[in-house]
């Protein structure tokens, strides 16, 4: 009888022991598994890469695309990234260029670094021509990086009526309609606008450029004229516009008509293409008379955000493709 009781007791102890072991194994196993799982997360990987937990969370909050997080992990830890991503016009594909430009230009604001890189000013002019996407229509970009094909001709070119321009000035139909509306509004406010230059084809631009180059050399020619294919006048969307009483390039900027254009042109889809103090972005010195048709939507953003067309194109057109 006593022997049997002892056996029963032993079985009970063994069973209890096994249960305890099992429970411990489950607890330990779950913990190890959880750790294993955590190590697979980007939060862990970013922390391992040197970011604080808080920064890792900020990065993950900004980046929803795993590929982009991978690219952050592929470059050395850099806290400037946390500040760069807060800038409105930040474009991820330019990150490494921002960082390398920042490294060489520590005195510049992040806002400027982003704008400069977005418009390619970290590259030399004409270093690598990019073909202008001619399907961009009224949003075509042409500058010292983007080049129009020799054979490019705008669709729907019309001659601007002699009331609003000198003889034989052509722009696209949309640009012309908008210009006529703008002309009438300006007239109502007391300013009589006049276009003295508009569409120029590749060949004409080539002649202008080569002529200067022949006499003054390439350096000087590049300062005052666009190379063929790089002039916005080839798009049929640009006008050189003055006021009938203020037709000098040197003084138009001081005229009330210029102030009127600055305040109102965007309402008609026109923007100032080479504004004062934006030469470091546009690559062109201030040209108060050169106005560009981009359509209402783009003109509104460019006007409100006080950005150049080059910045607009980089962020709203090219980056969204
Ligand atoms: Zn012009």
């Amino acid at each position: 009888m006593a022997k049997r009781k002892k056996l029963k007791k032993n079985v009970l102890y063994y069973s209890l022991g096994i249960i305890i072991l099992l429970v411990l194994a489950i607890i330990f196993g779950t913990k190890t598994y959880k750790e294993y799982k955590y190590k697979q997360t980007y939060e862990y990987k970013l922390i391992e890469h040197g970011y604080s937990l808080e920064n890792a969370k900020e990065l993950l909050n900004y980046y929803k695309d795993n590929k982009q997080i991978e690219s952050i992990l592929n470059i050395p830890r850099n806290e400037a990234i946390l500040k760069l991503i807060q800038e409105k016009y930040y474009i991820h594909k330019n990150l490494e260029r921002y960082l390398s430009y920042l490294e060489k230009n520590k005195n510049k604001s992040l806002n400027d670094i982003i704008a400069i890189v977005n418009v390619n000013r970290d590259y030399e002019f004409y270093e690598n021509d990019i073909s202008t996407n001619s399907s961009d229509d009224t949003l075509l970009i042409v500058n010292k990086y983007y080049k129009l094909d020799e054979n490019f001709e705008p669709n729907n070119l019309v001659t601007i009526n002699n009331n609003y321009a000198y003889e034989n000035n052509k722009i696209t139909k949309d640009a012309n309609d908008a210009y006529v509306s703008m002309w009438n509004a300006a007239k109502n406010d007391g300013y009589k606008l006049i276009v003295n230059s508009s569409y120029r084809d590749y060949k004409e631009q080539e002649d202008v450029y080569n002529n200067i180059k022949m006499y003054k050399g390439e350096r000087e020619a590049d300062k005052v004229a666009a190379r063929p294919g790089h002039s916005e006048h080839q798009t049929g969307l640009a006008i050189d516009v003055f006021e009938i009483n203020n037709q000098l390039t040197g003084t138009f900027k001081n005229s009330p008509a210029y102030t009127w254009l600055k305040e109102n042109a965007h309402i008609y889809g026109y923007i100032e293409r080479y504004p004062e103090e934006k030469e470091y972005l546009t690559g062109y010195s201030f040209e108060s008379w050169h106005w560009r048709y981009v359509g209402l939507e783009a003109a509104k953003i460019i006007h409100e955000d006080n950005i150049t067309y080059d910045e607009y194109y980089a962020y709203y057109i090219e980056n969204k493709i």
Side-chain angles (χ1 to χ4, degrees):
M1 242 354 225
K3 217 177 180 185
R4 225 176 165 181
K5 220 176 179 180
K6 204 178 172 191
L7 195 71
K8 241 186 176 175
K9 223 176 175 180
N10 279 347
V11 168
L12 192 73
Y13 285 151
Y14 281 132
S15 308
L16 261 176
I18 287 166
I19 288 165
I20 288 165
L21 275 175
L22 269 173
V23 169
L24 284 174
I26 288 166
I27 292 170
F28 186 70
T30 315
K31 199 174 159 239
T32 318
Y33 181 70
K34 269 190 182 158
E35 266 173 21
Y36 166 78
K37 278 308 250 184
Y38 181 65
K39 283 184 178 172
Q40 311 298 307
T41 64
Y42 284 122
E43 185 179 289
Y44 177 80
K45 286 177 186 171
L46 285 165
I47 292 167
E48 280 293 285
H49 204 61
Y51 291 100
S52 66
L53 174 63
E54 194 191 339
N55 287 350
K57 283 186 167 159
E58 269 176 70
L59 287 166
L60 289 168
N61 195 31
Y62 180 82
Y63 288 112
K64 305 294 175 201
D65 180 344
N66 288 353
K67 264 196 202 141
Q68 294 185 335
I69 283 288
E70 293 284 353
S71 67
I72 297 289
L73 290 165
N74 280 333
I75 55 174
R77 185 195 78 106
N78 192 328
E79 280 189 17
I81 300 173
L82 277 306
K83 291 198 182 100
L84 283 164
I85 58 174
Q86 286 168 30
E87 293 288 327
K88 178 169 181 182
Y89 288 108
Y90 173 80
I91 298 173
H92 178 68
K93 76 169 168 61
N94 291 343
L95 175 57
E96 288 186 61
R97 283 166 62 199
Y98 297 143
L99 293 174
S100 94
Y101 196 80
L102 178 63
E103 192 59 36
K104 288 175 231 141
N105 299 277
K106 290 193 169 125
N107 56 331
K108 284 198 166 36
S109 72
L110 291 182
N111 191 321
D112 264 354
I113 299 276
I114 284 179
I116 287 166
V117 171
N118 285 359
V119 304
N120 295 313
R121 286 296 306 258
D122 54 335
Y123 296 144
E124 293 294 323
F125 293 146
Y126 307 120
E127 189 182 23
N128 299 302
D129 282 345
I130 312 165
S131 290
T132 292
N133 181 355
S134 54
S135 67
D136 283 339
D137 198 32
T138 49
L139 295 170
L140 282 176
I141 189 157
V142 178
N143 57 28
K144 289 176 176 171
Y145 303 96
Y146 287 87
K147 185 185 183 187
L148 275 173
D149 190 80
E150 191 171 347
N151 302 314
F152 175 84
E153 258 182 52
N155 294 324
N156 303 318
L157 273 182
V158 296
T159 304
I160 310 174
N161 185 294
N162 279 357
N163 291 332
Y164 320 124
Y166 288 108
E167 292 280 315
N168 231 345
N169 270 292
K170 289 179 181 152
I171 46 175
T172 69
K173 189 183 176 301
D174 289 350
N176 185 55
D177 290 348
Y179 173 62
V180 171
S181 302
M182 183 163 83
W183 191 93
N184 282 306
K187 173 117 191 307
N188 283 339
D189 287 347
Y191 309 110
K192 235 178 148 184
L193 301 178
I194 183 95
V195 166
N196 81 356
S197 186
S198 48
Y199 173 63
R200 279 201 291 275
D201 67 18
Y202 187 95
K203 187 78 189 59
E204 278 175 84
Q205 189 64 31
E206 191 169 49
D207 290 345
V208 169
Y209 179 82
N210 284 346
N211 207 16
I212 306 172
K213 191 175 150 185
M214 195 162 68
Y215 290 103
K216 296 185 168 175
E218 189 174 81
R219 241 183 107 116
E220 283 305 306
D222 280 339
K223 272 191 199 163
V224 293
R227 292 189 186 180
H230 290 278
S231 166
E232 203 175 50
H233 284 284
Q234 199 189 335
T235 63
L237 299 163
I239 49 175
D240 290 341
V241 62
F242 294 88
E243 203 247 336
I244 206 94
N245 301 320
N246 288 287
Q247 296 195 47
L248 294 175
T249 52
T251 53
F252 182 62
K253 62 174 192 264
N254 302 320
S255 72
Y258 167 68
T259 310
W260 186 93
L261 282 169
K262 268 185 99 67
E263 285 164 4
N264 297 285
H266 70 281
I267 301 166
Y268 306 91
Y270 275 90
I271 54 143
E272 187 181 16
R273 186 64 181 89
Y274 308 121
E276 197 165 19
E277 289 169 11
K278 294 286 176 91
E279 186 181 345
Y280 72 106
L281 297 172
T282 63
Y284 281 86
S285 351
F286 175 36
E287 288 191 5
S288 57
W289 58 90
H290 183 109
W291 292 76
R292 158 72 195 263
Y293 180 70
V294 292
L296 298 184
E297 201 188 320
K300 185 171 185 276
I301 295 173
I302 291 164
H303 180 79
E304 280 172 3
D305 278 15
N306 188 27
I307 54 174
T308 60
Y309 185 61
D310 310 278
E311 290 164 85
Y312 176 87
Y313 186 85
Y315 188 79
Y316 291 98
I317 309 293
E318 201 175 43
N319 185 41
K320 303 286 169 193
I321 290 169

